[in-house]
RNA sequence: GCGGACGUGGCGAAAUCGGUAGACGCAGCGGACUUAAAAUCCGCUUCCCGUAUAGGGAGUGCGGGUUCGAGUCCCGCCGUCCGCACCA
C-alpha cells in the first residue's frame, strides 16, 4: 500500500507536543553557546502574508539547525502593534483600535502556529500593551536625562482635513495620502531625538558590520551623508537689515580662487529680507517654492537665478562677485548659500553659461590652463591661477585654505551632515504617550518614573478628525508633579519606529520592573542573525542602531551594534492576469488552456502580465492559510526554501508547490521503507555512505550561509541516491540520517518519521549528525582531458595519481588519440585530480 | 545625473580558488503499471549537424583582451532592476 503523508493530523499533533514540552523555550541560564535568531516582527494587519511565511521559515530553519548543533537558541516573536491602520479602522469600522489590533494579533498568531515555527512564545510581546510601552517611556526619560531628547519649533506637513501631521512619505504630490487635501507647512513644537550626535559613530560603526549586505551599509552611508569642508563668511558690499556677511559652505575650498559668483536659496533670510522691497525677487522666490522636489522634475529643471544686485567680497582677492538667488540652492542643507565655482562644479557651470558668468579654471590635471567646455572638471590635479596655493595638489590646497581662513578668523573647517535629528512627535492616538507634563510655572516636566506607565485612555472617539487625546475630556488634565498646580499632559505620541528600536532587547530580557536586565540582555545581544525586508534598510535599521547607541551612552547596555548579522530576503512574486477589458483577475478565476490562460467561467482569453510582488490591487495574492489547508505546513515551508536564492525574488507557482508536496510524500515513503523492506542485509554501501557524509557537510554549511536553495538541491540528490541504492545497512542508516537533515526544514514530517521509525524522543532534540572526515575524500576521481582547452574525453583514475601516469593515460584515451592524430604535444598542463590539457 | 546589483536552457537556478557549463527543481516528450484516470515508477530533455545510445560544431547579454584554459579576471558597450536625488 502506498503511504501518503497526512499533514492535517501530523502538523497539529507535533505542534501540540512541542507546545506541551516547551521545546523551544530559551534558557537564560544555559551554559551552551548562545544563538539569537530574529526575524523582523510583523505589524498586526489581520492576516499573515506569504512574504512573512518566507521570512519566518528562513529564520526557523536557522534556529532549528542551531539547536541541533548545540546552541541555546533565542527565537522570539512579537507584534509591532501601534500605528495608523488601527486608527483608520476605528474611523471606518467604528471599532476601538485596541480591539481591532488585539483580535488581529490573535488571528495572526493562530496562522503562525500552523506553520510550526520553533518560537519561544513565552517571550511574546505587543508594543501596544502598557507593559511594553511603559518601559519605553522609562527609556525615553533616561534619554532625556542624558540630553538626547529636546523640543524645538519645526515646520511639519499638516493635513488640514485629517488635522494631523504627516510624515514626508505620506505626502504625495503635495497632498495628504488619505484626505487628498493640499498639505500645509506648519510650525509646531515637536519632540526630537539627537541622532546627529551619533552621526560619526553610526557611520564608522558600519565598517564593523562585516555580516551586513554592502548594499544596506552603502544606503545608510549615503543617508548619513558626511561632507567635510570649509564654512566661511563672505562680506556683503551692501548691508541688508543689519547683516554684513553671508555664510557659505563648500567641500572644495581649494577652488576658492575660481569662484565667480555666490548663490543663496529663495528661503534664505537675506533673500526674504530683500524680497520685501523687490517684487520681482518675491515673484521669483515664489516660483522656486512652487516647483516640486519629485525626481523627474528635478532632473529636467533648468537652473534659474535672480541677480540681487548685491555683491560679495572675495576673502583673498577682494573681487566683487554677484550674489544670486538660485533655484538649485537648498535652504535646509549646509548654510543655504554657496560660493559658485563654475569650472569645477557642474551645476555652477550650467548656471554660469546661462547668465554669462566667468568660468576660470583653477585645477588642472596637467598644469595647463585649458578652457572649460560643457563639463566641469572635478578630477584630481594641480592648483593654478590660485595665488598662494598654486602648484599644490587638491587635498593640500584644501587644508591650506582652511588653515588661512581659521587663522584670519573668517571661516573654519566643518563637517556637514545630511542626517537630521529624528522628529518623533505624532499627533495620533494609537501610539506610546510621550511621558511629559506641561506646567505654566515649571515648564516641561518629565512624568516621575514611579508614575509610569502613562496609559492611553480607552474611552476615545474617532467621529471627528484630529487627535482624540487632545480633545479627551479628562485625560490630559493632571497636576504638575513639581509644583502641584493644574497642568496639561503632552498629547503627542511617539513615532512607531521608536517601538521597534529596542524590542529585540526586551525579547532578550523581560522583567516587570524595568525595561530589561543589563546582564541578562547582554548574554544574548547582539542579535546574531536578523532577517527581514530590504525596505527597512534605512529607517528601522538606522533608528535601532541609534537607539542601542543611546542606551549604551546612558550606561544601560554594553552593546553598540544591535544586529551582528543582517540578511535581507527577496519578495514572493506571482504572475498577474488581466481580462480583455483590463481588469485584474485572481488566480482562482483563471484556468490554463494549452499555452495560454482563459477565464474559467466564461472561456474569455486572459493576458498574462508581469510576475510581480503580490498585492491586493493586482489580485495576485495567495493566502497562506489556503495553501496550508491544501498541502500542509511542510510543503509550504519546503517551497519557500527551494529554487530561488533567498535574497532574490521567489515566484510562486502552483506546479512549484505541487512539486514540494510530491517530494514530501517521496520522503515519507522513503522513511517508511526502513522497516517495511526488512532488507537490511548488513552490507556496507561505500558509495552511498560517501554521498551521505558529503551531504551532511554541505547541507550544514549551506544552512549556515542561508543558502537554503542549495541545501534543498543537495537533499534531493541524496534522496535520489538512496532510492537508487540497493538495500544495505548503509541505506538504512542513510534514510535515518536523512530525517535529521530535513528536520529543520520540514519538522512535522521529520517528527512523524522519527516516531514511525521507532526512534526515542523528539527529533527536535536530536543533535545534527557527525561527519566522518574520511568519507569526505573520494578515492577515485574523474579527470577531464582537454586538447587545446577543449574537452575531448574523461578518465576515471585513483585519487592522487602522479603527473606522469596521468599524462600517459590522457594520451591513451581513445578520443584524445584520434584528435591529436599522433602529434606530440608541445606542452602538457596537469592539474592533479582535476584535468590534463594537451597543447599541440 | 550619481551610486549599487544583476544578465547562464522554455522557466526557477547550480558551478565556493580561473579547470568537465547547465547539478537540483519546474514544465515538456516518450514508456511502464491501470479497463481508465489519478498517484507512482523508468527514460529523454541547451541549441545545431547527424539514423545514431558514434562523432562533431556552437554556446553563459554584446565587442575586445589576458591565459594552456574565462560564466568566473581586465577594458569598452548594451540591457534590466534597486537606492538616492539640485547635498554645495
Amino acid at each position: 500500500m502506498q503511504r501518503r503523508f497526512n499533514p492535517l493530523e501530523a502538523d497539529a499533533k507535533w505542534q501540540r507536543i512541542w507546545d506541551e514540552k516547551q521545546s523551544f523555550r530559551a534558557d537564560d541560564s544555559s551554559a551552551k553557546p548562545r544563538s539569537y535568531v530574529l526575524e523582523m516582527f510583523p505589524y498586526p494587519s489581520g492576516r499573515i502574508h506569504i512574504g512573512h511565511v518566507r521570512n519566518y521559515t528562513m529564520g526557523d530553519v536557522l534556529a532549528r539547525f542551531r539547536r541541533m548543533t548545540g546552541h541555546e537558541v533565542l527565537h522570539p516573536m512579537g507584534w509591532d502593534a501601534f500605528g495608523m491602520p488601527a486608527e483608520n479602522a476605528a474611523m471606518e469600522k467604528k471599532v476601538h483600535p485596541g480591539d481591532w489590533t488585539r483580535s488581529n494579533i490573535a488571528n495572526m498568531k493562530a496562522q503562525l502556529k500552523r506553520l510550526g515555527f520553533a518560537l519561544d512564545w513565552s517571550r511574546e510581546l505587543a508594543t501596544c500593551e502598557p507593559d511594553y510601552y511603559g518601559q519605553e517611556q522609562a527609556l525615553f526619560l533616561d534619554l532625556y536625562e542624558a540630553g538626547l531628547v529636546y523640543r524645538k519649533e519645526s515646520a511639519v506637513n499638516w493635513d488640514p482635513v485629517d488635522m494631523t501631521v504627516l510624515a514626508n512619505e505620506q505626502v504625495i504630490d503635495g497632498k495628504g495620502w488619505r484626505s487628498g487635501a493640499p498639505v500645509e507647512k506648519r510650525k509646531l513644537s515637536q519632540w526630537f531625538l539627537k541622532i546627529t550626535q551619533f552621526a560619526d559613530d553610526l557611520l564608522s560603526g558600519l565598517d564593523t558590520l562585516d555580516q551586513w549586505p554592502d548594499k544596506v551599509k552603502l544606503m545608510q552611508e549615503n543617508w548619513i551623508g558626511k561632507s567635510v569642508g570649509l564654512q566661511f563668511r563672505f562680506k556683503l558690499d551692501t548691508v541688508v537689515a543689519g547683516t554684513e556677511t553671508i555664510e557659505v559652505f563648500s567641500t572644495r575650498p581649494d577652488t576658492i580662487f575660481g569662484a565667480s559668483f555666490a548663490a543663496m536659496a529663495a528661503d534664505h533670510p537675506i533673500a526674504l529680507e530683500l524680497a520685501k522691497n523687490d517684487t520681482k525677487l518675491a515673484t521669483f522666490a515664489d516660483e522656486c517654492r512652487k516647483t516640486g522636489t519629485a525626481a523627474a522634475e528635478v532632473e529636467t529643471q533648468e537652473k534659474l537665478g535672480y541677480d540681487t544686485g548685491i555683491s560679495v567680497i572675495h576673502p583673498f582677492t577682494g573681487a566683487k562677485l554677484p550674489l544670486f538667488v538660485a533655484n538649485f540652492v537648498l535652504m535646509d542643507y549646509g548654510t543655504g548659500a554657496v560660493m559658485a565655482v563654475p569650472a569645477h562644479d557642474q551645476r555652477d557651470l550650467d548656471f554660469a553659461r546661462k547668465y554669462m558668468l566667468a568660468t576660470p579654471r583653477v585645477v588642472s590635471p596637467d598644469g595647463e590652463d585649458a578652457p572649460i567646455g560643457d563639463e566641469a572638471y572635478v578630477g584630481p590635479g594641480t592648483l593654478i591661477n590660485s595665488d598662494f596655493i598654486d602648484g599644490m595638489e587638491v587635498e593640500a590646497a584644501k587644508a591650506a585654505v582652511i588653515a588661512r581662513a581659521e587663522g584670519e578668523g573668517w571661516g573654519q573647517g566643518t563637517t556637514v551632515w545630511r542626517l537630521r535629528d529624528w522628529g518623533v512627535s505624532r499627533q495620533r492616538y494609537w501610539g506610546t504617550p510621550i511621558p511629559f507634563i506641561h506646567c505654566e510655572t515649571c515648564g516641561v516636566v518629565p512624568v516621575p518614573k514611579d508614575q509610569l506607565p502613562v496609559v492611553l485612555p480607552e474611552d476615545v472617539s474617532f467621529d471627528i478628525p484630529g487627535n482624540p487625546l487632545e480633545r479627551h475630556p479628562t485625560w490630559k488634565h493632571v497636576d504638575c508633579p513639581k509644583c502641584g498646580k493644574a497642568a496639561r499632559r503632552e498629547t503627542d505620541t511617539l513615532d512607531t519606529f521608536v517601538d521597534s528600536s529596542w524590542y529585540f532587547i526586551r525579547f532578550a530580557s523581560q522583567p516587570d520592573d524595568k525595561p530589561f536586565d543589563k546582564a541578562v540582555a547582554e548574554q544574548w545581544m547582539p542579535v546574531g542573525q536578523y532577517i527581514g525586508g530590504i525596505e527597512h534598510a534605512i529607517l528601522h535599521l538606522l533608528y535601532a542602531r541609534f537607539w542601542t547607541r543611546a542606551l549604551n551612552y546612558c550606561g544601560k547596555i554594553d552593546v553598540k551594534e544591535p544586529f551582528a548579522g543582517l540578511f535581507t530576503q527577496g519578495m514572493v512574486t506571482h504572475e498577474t492576469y488581466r481580462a480583455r477589458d483590463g481588469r485584474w483577475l485572481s488566480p482562482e478565476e483563471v484556468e490554463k488552456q494549452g499555452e495560454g490562460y482563459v477565464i474559467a467561467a466564461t472561456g474569455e482569453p486572459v493576458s498574462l502580465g508581469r510576475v510581480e510582488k503580490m498585492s491586493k490591487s493586482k489580485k495576485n495574492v495567495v493566502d497562506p492559510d489556503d495553501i496550508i489547508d491544501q498541502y500542509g505546513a511542510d510543503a509550504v515551508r519546503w517551497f519557500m526554501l527551494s529554487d530561488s536564492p533567498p535574497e532574490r525574488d521567489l515566484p510562486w507557482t502552483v506546479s512549484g508547490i505541487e512539486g514540494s508536496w510530491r517530494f514530501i510524500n517521496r520522503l515519507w515513503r522513503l522513511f517508511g521503507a526502513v522497516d517495511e523492506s526488512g532488507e537490511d542485509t548488513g552490507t556496507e554501501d561505500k558509495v552511498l555512505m560517501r554521498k551521505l557524509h558529503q551531504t551532511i557537510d554541505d547541507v550544514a554549511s549551506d544552512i549556515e550561509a542561508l543558502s537554503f536553495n542549495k541545501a534543498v538541491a543537495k537533499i534531493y540528490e541524496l534522496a535520489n541516491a538512496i532510492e537508487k541504492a540497493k538495500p544495505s545497512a548503509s541505506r538504512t542508516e542513510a534514510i535515518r540520517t536523512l530525517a535529521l537533515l530535513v528536520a529543520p526544514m520540514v519538522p512535522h514530517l521529520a517528527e512523524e518519521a522519527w516516531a514511525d521509525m521507532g526512534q526515542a524522543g523528539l527529533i527536535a532534540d536530536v543533535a545534527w549528525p557527525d561527519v566522518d572526515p574520511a568519507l569526505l575524500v573520494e578515492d577515485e576521481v574523474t579527470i577531464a582531458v582537454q586538447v587545446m582547452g577543449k574537452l575531448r574525453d574523461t578518465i576515471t583514475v585513483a585519487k592522487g595519481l602522479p603527473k606522469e601516469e596521468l599524462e600517459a593515460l590522457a594520451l591513451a584515451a581513445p578520443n584524445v588519440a584520434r584528435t591529436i592524430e599522433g602529434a606530440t604535444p608541445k606542452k602538457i598542463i596537469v592539474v592533479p585530480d582535476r584535468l590534463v590539457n594537451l597543447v599541440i
Side-chain angles (χ1 to χ4, degrees):
Chain A
M1 216 192 77
Q2 291 232 326
R3 282 173 30 125
R4 210 175 153 86
F5 182 60
N6 184 347
L8 278 181
E9 279 173 27
D11 289 3
K13 173 169 123 199
W14 295 107
Q15 285 159 20
R16 196 191 68 239
I17 291 171
W18 294 326
D19 250 359
E20 283 167 6
K21 300 202 180 226
Q22 300 275 305
S23 292
F24 308 116
R25 201 161 176 156
D27 178 2
D28 283 338
S29 59
S30 170
K32 293 181 194 171
R34 309 286 175 128
S35 184
Y36 188 172
V37 178
L38 184 67
E39 300 95 56
M40 291 180 185
F41 67 164
Y43 176 79
S45 58
R47 308 283 302 163
I48 62 164
H49 184 271
I50 196 88
H52 292 125
V53 178
R54 191 178 190 203
N55 189 180
Y56 303 148
T57 300
M58 290 180 191
D60 199 55
V61 172
L62 185 65
R64 285 176 178 269
F65 174 73
R66 289 266 170 82
R67 266 175 55 81
M68 291 179 84
T69 53
H71 293 83
E72 187 64 33
V73 172
L74 174 56
H75 186 218
M77 181 55 71
W79 311 95
D80 188 12
F82 272 139
M84 267 309 282
E87 287 190 52
N88 293 340
M91 285 182 250
E92 283 156 22
K93 297 174 194 158
K94 311 279 174 220
V95 288
H96 190 275
D99 296 341
W100 184 82
T101 303
R102 289 180 192 108
S103 97
N104 285 347
I105 288 174
N107 288 336
M108 291 173 73
K109 184 174 178 181
Q111 285 187 295
L112 289 183
K113 288 234 164 192
R114 295 191 63 196
L115 283 152
F117 294 134
L119 292 162
D120 180 352
W121 284 105
S122 75
R123 296 176 190 242
E124 179 184 7
L125 60 82
T127 59
C128 66
E129 303 301 343
D131 59 1
Y132 183 85
Y133 70 71
Q135 301 299 348
E136 184 168 306
Q137 290 166 339
L139 291 177
F140 191 77
L141 293 177
D142 289 332
L143 265 57
Y144 177 78
E145 277 162 35
L148 298 174
V149 176
Y150 67 98
R151 276 166 69 78
K152 103 179 160 190
E153 280 264 305
S154 160
V156 295
N157 304 307
W158 181 260
D159 185 321
V161 172
D162 281 357
M163 291 176 63
T164 182
V165 166
L166 297 177
N168 285 333
E169 303 78 36
Q170 295 164 349
V171 181
I172 297 151
D173 290 335
K175 288 172 182 146
W177 68 287
R178 238 179 69 83
S179 68
V183 167
E184 298 167 6
K185 285 277 174 196
R186 272 209 188 178
K187 284 237 167 193
L188 283 181
S189 222
Q190 302 271 293
W191 291 92
F192 284 87
L193 291 177
K194 261 193 205 165
I195 189 169
T196 55
Q197 182 171 326
F198 299 90
D200 228 338
D201 198 41
L202 285 166
L203 188 64
S204 58
L206 291 172
D207 292 338
T208 67
L209 299 174
D210 54 353
Q211 293 172 68
W212 277 43
D214 290 339
K215 181 187 170 72
V216 174
K217 287 193 276 188
L218 194 70
M219 282 165 74
Q220 293 217 350
E221 192 182 315
N222 292 338
W223 185 266
I224 294 167
K226 182 180 189 176
S227 303
V228 180
L230 172 68
Q231 186 167 327
F232 69 97
R233 291 170 291 285
F234 273 125
K235 268 203 187 109
L236 299 172
D237 70 347
T238 312
V239 176
V240 181
T243 308
E244 292 172 26
T245 59
I246 183 165
E247 190 101 22
V248 299
F249 174 74
S250 174
T251 53
R252 294 295 302 275
D254 55 306
T255 63
I256 192 165
F257 287 95
S260 62
F261 67 99
M264 61 183 161
D267 286 326
H268 193 281
I270 293 176
L272 294 176
E273 192 58 42
L274 291 171
K276 285 180 185 168
N277 302 309
D278 185 341
T279 48
K280 275 191 190 160
L281 174 54
T283 314
F284 177 76
D286 279 343
E287 283 300 314
C288 290
R289 282 181 205 108
K290 238 184 258 170
T291 47
T293 50
E297 286 177 76
V298 169
E299 200 172 329
T300 55
Q301 203 175 318
E302 204 181 352
K303 303 276 174 287
L304 292 174
Y306 180 89
D307 190 344
T308 60
I310 294 176
S311 293
V312 301
I313 313 294
H314 193 286
F316 289 121
T317 67
K320 287 192 167 190
L321 310 177
L323 175 62
F324 284 82
V325 172
N327 66 346
F328 68 88
V329 181
L330 305 175
M331 190 56 225
D332 55 6
Y333 189 80
T335 62
V338 297
M339 77 164 183
V341 185
H344 305 292
D345 181 288
Q346 192 60 44
R347 287 159 313 167
D348 297 351
L349 183 62
D350 294 346
F351 191 89
R353 291 275 182 254
K354 186 171 169 75
Y355 294 98
M356 316 284 264
L357 297 155
T359 62
R361 177 190 280 273
V362 290
V363 178
S364 171
D366 54 9
E368 298 297 317
D369 187 2
I372 297 293
D374 286 336
E375 267 183 45
Y377 180 72
V378 294
T382 315
L383 272 292
I384 58 172
N385 302 327
S386 295
D387 195 349
F388 72 98
I389 50 173
D390 269 348
M392 289 186 188
E393 296 296 306
V394 167
E395 286 310 312
K398 281 182 187 174
V401 171
I402 291 171
R404 275 285 274 272
E406 288 178 348
E408 293 170 11
W410 49 268
Q412 57 286 315
T414 317
T415 301
V416 167
W417 304 89
R418 188 180 171 278
L419 184 70
R420 291 293 119 98
D421 273 342
W422 177 14
V424 293
S425 285
R426 296 291 181 270
Q427 289 67 43
R428 308 274 198 224
Y429 165 73
W430 196 232
T432 301
I434 297 177
F436 280 86
I437 289 165
H438 300 277
C439 170
E440 281 192 13
T441 317
C442 311
V444 178
V445 181
V447 173
K449 276 199 177 171
D450 58 13
Q451 291 174 27
L452 294 181
V454 177
V455 177
L456 285 171
E458 286 289 316
D459 52 332
V460 285
S461 74
F462 293 88
D463 307 342
I464 48 174
N467 183 354
L469 289 180
E470 182 65 38
R471 60 168 187 268
H472 189 278
T474 55
W475 186 76
K476 70 178 170 184
H477 302 295
V478 283
D479 293 340
C480 173
K482 251 188 191 166
C483 67
K485 275 190 250 169
R488 185 177 59 80
R489 259 190 212 294
E490 172 61 63
T491 55
D492 283 356
T493 51
L494 288 172
D495 182 359
T496 55
F497 276 112
V498 176
D499 308 334
S500 53
S501 288
W502 72 286
Y503 76 103
F504 41 87
I505 306 177
R506 181 78 181 165
F507 274 144
S509 167
Q510 218 168 105
D512 291 334
D513 58 341
K514 53 186 169 185
F516 53 87
D517 181 272
K518 185 171 186 286
V520 175
E522 281 168 2
Q523 284 187 323
W524 293 109
M525 289 293 292
V527 175
Q529 185 64 58
Y530 197 34
I531 308 177
I534 185 75
E535 66 274 17
H536 295 108
I538 296 175
L539 295 180
H540 162 57
L541 291 169
L542 189 64
Y543 292 148
R545 293 182 63 223
F546 156 70
W547 191 272
T548 306
R549 271 177 173 71
L551 295 179
N552 176 261
Y553 180 78
C554 299
K556 295 265 157 199
I557 193 162
D558 203 12
V559 174
K560 278 172 112 181
E561 289 292 348
F563 314 118
L566 174 71
F567 188 84
T568 53
Q569 100 271 8
M571 297 179 302
V572 181
T573 59
H574 195 290
E575 286 177 334
T576 49
Y577 313 98
R578 289 188 108 150
R580 258 186 307 211
D581 58 10
R583 84 198 136 87
W584 299 99
L585 299 165
S586 71
E588 294 82 53
E589 293 173 87
V590 303
E591 200 175 70
K592 194 156 191 179
Q593 197 179 75
E595 293 294 286
Y597 287 89
V598 295
I599 297 179
T602 62
E604 191 191 325
V606 167
S607 63
L608 193 59
R610 276 161 46 106
V611 176
E612 291 192 65
K613 180 182 181 175
M614 289 190 189
S615 76
K616 277 182 196 152
S617 62
K618 304 265 167 71
K619 289 201 175 176
N620 61 340
V621 178
V622 172
D623 186 75
D625 263 357
D626 294 345
I627 56 178
I628 299 168
D629 284 344
Q630 232 176 319
Y631 303 101
D634 288 339
V636 175
R637 293 168 61 113
W638 187 255
F639 181 84
M640 290 290 127
L641 301 166
S642 304
D643 293 347
S644 287
E647 69 278 8
R648 252 184 258 180
D649 289 352
L650 172 70
W652 174 267
T653 60
V654 172
S655 49
I657 182 68
E658 280 175 351
S660 295
W661 169 235
R662 270 201 301 274
F663 185 64
I664 297 294
N665 279 295
R666 244 179 92 196
L667 283 175
W668 182 236
R669 286 192 299 273
L670 205 48
F671 293 142
V674 169
D675 319 317
E676 194 181 282
S677 65
E679 284 176 302
D680 182 340
T681 58
T683 51
E684 200 191 2
D685 181 339
K686 197 88 187 272
V687 174
L688 184 63
M689 287 312 276
R690 200 165 261 137
K691 182 79 190 168
L692 174 67
H693 282 259
Q694 279 164 356
T695 306
I696 296 169
D697 198 43
D698 287 347
V699 170
S701 47
D702 286 339
I703 291 176
E704 272 297 345
L706 307 179
S707 298
F708 305 111
N709 57 321
K710 294 190 210 171
V712 162
K714 305 268 170 53
I715 286 169
Y716 271 115
E717 280 187 47
L718 179 62
N720 291 345
I722 295 173
E723 281 181 344
K724 286 202 170 65
K726 292 200 173 67
S728 66
S730 302
R731 187 170 186 267
T732 305
E733 188 189 327
I735 292 172
R736 199 168 289 134
T737 309
L738 179 62
L740 292 170
L741 298 189
V742 298
M745 304 174 185
V746 289
H748 310 88
L749 172 69
E751 290 289 6
E752 193 72 17
W754 199 245
D756 195 54
M757 288 189 272
Q759 302 291 323
L762 291 177
I763 201 169
D765 296 326
V766 178
W768 188 256
D770 287 328
V771 175
D772 180 352
L775 286 170
L776 293 183
V777 263
E778 300 280 358
D779 48 13
E780 244 183 10
V781 286
T782 303
I783 287 183
V785 184
Q786 300 179 335
V787 178
M788 301 297 285
K790 266 196 191 306
L791 181 72
R792 291 298 166 186
D793 215 333
T794 57
I795 49 177
T796 304
V797 299
K799 193 180 159 75
L801 213 60
K803 216 174 149 171
E804 297 72 31
E805 286 183 47
L806 280 176
E807 284 180 17
L809 284 167
L811 282 165
N815 270 344
V816 173
R818 193 177 39 246
T819 312
I820 64 174
E821 291 175 319
T824 314
K826 277 186 240 159
K827 195 175 168 189
I828 303 178
I829 287 133
V830 180
V831 182
D833 296 333
R834 291 214 85 137
L835 109 176
V836 179
N837 188 12
L838 308 172
V839 184
I840 310 288

